[in-house]
């Protein structure tokens, strides 16, 4: 399935739906060389977001099944702590090569190449960019992969010096380190496809990945123990590439072919400063996990596992709220490539309003229903009631930083969408990392894992505030007071909704009934209050729900 952008009006001014339209000359070239308008219309964005949402939710659900299988088969003890130290490698690789770093460099580069193609540049700038970047990326990722496999014992010693069984962690790390190569290739395919307005295959990668991890644990768990989960990471990385290669090959094969005798366009190498700035930012952001596991490694067995399970569940609302930004990032990059700063700013401000509304609704639900949620998801097999209580307490603290996490993910796009190096986000993230380190070191003694989670929330909130304050110097200058005023509305609604949800969730004796009562109460109170306060992000969500409901009723009545 391919989401194809609909035709846009050929005027250069604002469209009737409030989004700026693209002049006729600013079109991308579609299959077979036919011109195809850029993917900026509201209808296309809605369809692309819906497709991304469905597949992302499926991937997230499989991720929960993966974590449930890990908890059920191996519990929350020294073995899972060893695997989770090895899990640091795919966590870093996903952030650097799929979710943030590589995408931030590649999407603007391919958006600019598509703009040059639309303006009639000689040859095919897109193919030239692939030729100039893909072999170098594959070689670099293969080299780092080999280095990580060879240095696995030393890597474990650095990551978790207090681990009781470093040999098991080293064995798992050798397996998970293979993802450096596969994630690099998967991230490259995702960025190229999204820049072309293709979202189905990139959105399906975590479905394939988590399916590989789950299958490996159940197939090999009896013989290999927790090493089977590490083997699943290796297999899942290969599946991430496999689900995208056919779509990428079709997209590049059917693109513009250079006229005979032209020799094609010269490849334009990517700006190394841009690549360095986005990778260092992503590395710095993911380093919060290193700090958490370093501080938790001397704590009693299971501390790292409790942190991991709490973080995985708490971050689901943040991940889902950023789906729209994933879809609209190529639109913002293309607007900047076309010189339309106002359209890019309006798009980002609307995204921030919607992201704030969604992530605060999710954070309120997580805080209100944490014990019921963790109990239903994980309390079975080797995962005990004490593990549920400890994980739920940590998750409530983590949730305090979800707004900061989401805003960082949305705001950093303002700095990199223009395809130019941006070092300010790295400085902002470094300031947040220092805050996390100092706060965590001071809080871990009196409060244990909850202190580590509080330090995480404090650090990422500092980063979000610095990124928002510095947007005046980036390619998408936001109206900061307007953004803050808009975010304050769902925040006030979320505070009231959380209190109401805690009360509602505590009434039923059944965890399932408590979760249902708490979640429904939080949703109703948050939506009603946010709408009464005039939160801009509420109406697009309600409109999307009504649209989907109408389509479902129409489909059932046929």
């Amino acid at each position: 399935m391919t989401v194809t952008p609909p035709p846009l009006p050929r005027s250069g001014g604002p469209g009737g739906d409030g989004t700026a339209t693209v002049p006729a000359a600013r079109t991308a070239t579609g299959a077979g060389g036919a011109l195809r308008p850029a993917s900026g219309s509201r209808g296309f964005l809605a369809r692309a977001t819906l497709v991304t949402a469905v597949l992302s939710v499926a991937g997230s659900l499989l991720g929960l099944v993966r974590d449930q299988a890990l908890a059920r088969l191996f519990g929350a003890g020294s073995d899972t702590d060893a695997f989770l130290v090895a899990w640091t490698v795919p966590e870093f690789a996903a952030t650097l090569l799929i979710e943030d770093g590589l995408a931030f460099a590649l999407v603007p580069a391919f958006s600019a190449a598509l703009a040059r193609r639309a303006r009639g540049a000689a040859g095919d700038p897109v193919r030239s960019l692939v030729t100039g970047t893909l072999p170098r990326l594959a070689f670099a990722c293969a080299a780092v992969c080999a280095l990580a496999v060879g240095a696995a014992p030393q890597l474990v010693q650095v990551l978790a010096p207090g681990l009781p069984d470093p040999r098991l962690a080293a064995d798992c790390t050798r397996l998970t380190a293979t993802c450096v190569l596969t994630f690099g290739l998967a991230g490259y395919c995702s960025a190229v496809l999204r820049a072309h307005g293709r979202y189905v295959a990139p959105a399906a990668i975590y479905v394939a990945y988590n399916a590989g991890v789950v299958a490996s644990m159940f197939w090999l768990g009896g013989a290999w123990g927790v090493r089977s989960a590490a083997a699943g990471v290796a297999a899942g990385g290969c599946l991430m590439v496999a689900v995208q290669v056919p779509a990428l090959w079709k997209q590049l094969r059917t693109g513009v072919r250079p006229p005979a005798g032209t020799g094609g366009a010269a490849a334009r190498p990517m700006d190394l400063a841009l690549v360095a700035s986005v990778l260092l930012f992503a590395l710095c952001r993911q380093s919060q996990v290193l700090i958490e596991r370093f501080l938790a490694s001397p704590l009693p067995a299971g501390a790292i596992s409790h942190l991991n399970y709490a973080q995985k569940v708490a971050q689901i609302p943040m991940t889902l709220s950023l789906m729209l930004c994933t879809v609209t990032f190529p639109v913002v990059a293309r607007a900047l490539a076309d010189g339309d700063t106002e359209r890019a700013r309006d798009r980002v401000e609307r995204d921030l309003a919607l992201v704030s509304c969604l992530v605060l609704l999710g954070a309120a639900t997580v805080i209100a229903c944490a014990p019921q949620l963790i109990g239903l998801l994980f309390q079975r097999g080797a995962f005990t009631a004490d593990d549920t209580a400890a994980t739920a307490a940590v998750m409530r603290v983590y949730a305090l930083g979800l707004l900061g996490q989401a805003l960082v993910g949305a705001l950093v796009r303002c700095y990199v969408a223009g395809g130019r190096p941006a070092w300010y986000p790295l400085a902002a993230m470094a300031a947040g990392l220092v805050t996390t380190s100092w706060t965590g070191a001071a809080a871990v003694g009196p409060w244990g894992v909850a202190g580590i989670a509080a330090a995480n929330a404090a650090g990422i909130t500092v980063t979000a505030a610095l990124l928002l304050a510095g947007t005046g110097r980036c390619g998408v200058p936001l109206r900061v007071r307007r953004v803050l005023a808009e975010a304050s509305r769902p925040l006030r609604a979320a505070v009231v909704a959380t209190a109401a949800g805690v009360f509602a969730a505590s009434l039923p004796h059944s965890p399932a009934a408590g979760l249902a009562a708490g979640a429904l109460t939080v949703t109703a109170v948050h939506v009603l209050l946010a709408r009464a306060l005039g939160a801009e992000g509420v109406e697009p969500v309600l409109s999307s729900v009504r649209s989907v409901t109408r389509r479902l009723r129409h489909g059932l009545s046929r």
Side-chain angles (χ1 to χ4, degrees):
M1 176 183 176
T2 298
V3 179
T4 304
L8 293 179
R10 291 187 178 269
S11 100
D17 62 355
T19 59
T21 57
V22 182
R26 293 173 184 171
T27 53
T29 305
L35 288 179
R36 165 175 70 79
S39 52
S41 74
R42 177 176 293 181
F44 168 73
L45 293 178
R47 290 196 297 273
T49 303
L50 179 61
V51 169
T52 303
V54 170
L55 290 173
S56 296
V57 168
S60 296
L61 290 175
L62 273 174
L64 284 177
V65 172
R66 176 201 68 208
D67 293 339
Q68 287 175 324
L70 184 68
R72 180 172 184 171
L73 294 173
F74 311 114
S78 58
D79 281 3
T80 49
D81 284 354
F83 166 70
L84 291 172
V85 171
W87 183 265
T88 304
V89 178
E91 282 181 322
F92 266 80
T95 299
L96 290 171
L97 302 175
I98 299 176
E99 296 163 7
D100 290 344
L102 197 61
F104 288 162
L106 286 174
V107 170
F110 277 95
S111 296
L114 286 166
R116 292 198 304 273
R117 173 197 276 179
R119 289 192 290 266
D124 186 357
V126 175
R127 290 189 181 182
S128 297
L129 184 57
V130 172
T131 303
T133 54
L134 181 55
R136 297 176 185 178
L137 172 73
F139 177 79
C141 289
V144 175
C145 174
L147 179 63
V149 170
Q154 292 77 16
L155 188 59
V156 168
Q157 185 61 31
V158 171
L159 293 175
L163 205 64
D165 189 0
R167 288 181 299 177
L168 176 59
D171 289 345
C172 292
T173 301
R174 291 188 180 96
L175 290 167
T176 60
T178 59
C179 74
V180 175
L181 176 58
T182 55
F183 281 19
L185 297 175
Y188 189 94
C189 294
S190 296
V192 177
L193 289 171
R194 283 173 177 149
H196 282 82
R198 303 293 187 256
Y199 292 92
V200 177
I205 60 175
Y206 284 109
V207 175
Y209 171 70
N210 287 319
V213 178
V214 172
S216 179
M217 280 193 287
F218 281 103
W219 185 29
L220 301 173
W224 286 23
V226 79
R227 292 177 180 85
S228 62
V233 171
C238 296
L239 293 174
M240 293 171 96
V241 180
V243 297
Q244 296 185 97
V245 166
L248 180 64
W249 175 253
K250 180 180 179 181
Q251 186 65 48
L252 296 178
R253 182 174 58 86
T254 57
V256 171
R257 298 184 182 277
T262 62
R268 295 191 181 185
M270 290 182 60
D271 189 337
L272 291 180
L274 170 63
V275 175
S277 65
V278 296
L279 289 181
L280 286 174
F281 169 81
L283 182 65
C284 194
R285 182 179 182 182
Q286 193 60 30
S287 294
Q288 287 191 316
V289 176
L290 293 183
I291 294 171
E292 293 175 14
R293 289 177 183 168
F294 182 88
L295 293 173
S297 61
L299 296 178
I304 294 177
S305 299
H306 296 149
L307 283 166
N308 172 76
Y309 293 130
Q311 188 181 60
K312 289 294 191 304
V313 177
Q315 285 190 344
I316 289 175
M318 182 269 294
T319 302
L320 296 179
S321 69
L322 287 175
M323 287 185 301
L324 177 64
C325 294
T326 300
V327 173
T328 59
F329 182 44
V331 177
V332 175
R334 184 61 184 272
L336 292 178
D338 289 336
D340 195 344
T341 304
E342 184 177 353
R343 180 160 62 99
R345 183 196 64 193
D346 290 344
R347 178 71 262 170
V348 171
E349 289 182 353
R350 287 198 298 272
D351 291 350
L352 287 172
L354 181 57
V355 164
S356 298
C357 193
L358 289 176
V359 77
L360 286 168
L361 172 59
T365 305
V366 165
I367 295 173
C369 308
Q372 296 84 357
L373 191 57
I374 295 297
L376 286 172
L377 290 175
F378 300 118
Q379 190 174 321
R380 56 184 61 84
F383 198 92
T384 66
D386 290 338
D387 293 325
T388 294
T391 303
V394 174
M395 189 171 72
R396 280 176 160 162
V397 180
Y398 261 131
L400 299 177
L402 286 181
L403 178 60
Q405 293 275 7
L407 290 179
V408 168
L411 286 169
V412 71
R413 290 163 168 81
C414 299
Y415 293 86
V416 300
R420 293 183 295 273
W423 298 102
Y424 180 80
L426 175 61
M429 194 67 245
L433 199 63
V434 170
T435 303
T436 299
S437 303
W438 289 354
T439 307
V444 67
W447 294 303
V449 290
I452 298 173
N456 179 295
I460 201 66
T461 302
V462 167
T463 300
L466 291 174
L467 286 177
L468 182 59
T471 53
R473 69 189 69 189
C474 73
V476 188
L478 302 180
R479 292 164 288 196
V480 176
R481 290 185 179 179
R482 178 176 176 177
V483 171
L484 288 174
E486 183 57 42
S488 70
R489 296 184 180 100
L491 179 59
R492 283 176 279 167
V495 172
V496 178
T498 301
V502 170
F503 176 75
S506 65
L507 295 179
H509 294 292
S510 164
L515 176 60
L520 290 173
T521 301
V522 167
T523 302
V525 173
H526 184 270
V527 170
L528 290 174
L529 278 180
R531 195 173 187 183
L533 291 169
E536 183 182 342
V538 175
E539 201 53 45
V541 176
L542 296 178
S543 298
S544 298
V545 171
R546 287 193 293 264
S547 176
V548 171
T549 303
R550 282 197 302 268
R551 292 183 182 182
L552 288 175
R553 286 202 303 264
H554 178 69
L556 292 174
S557 64
R558 295 183 64 181

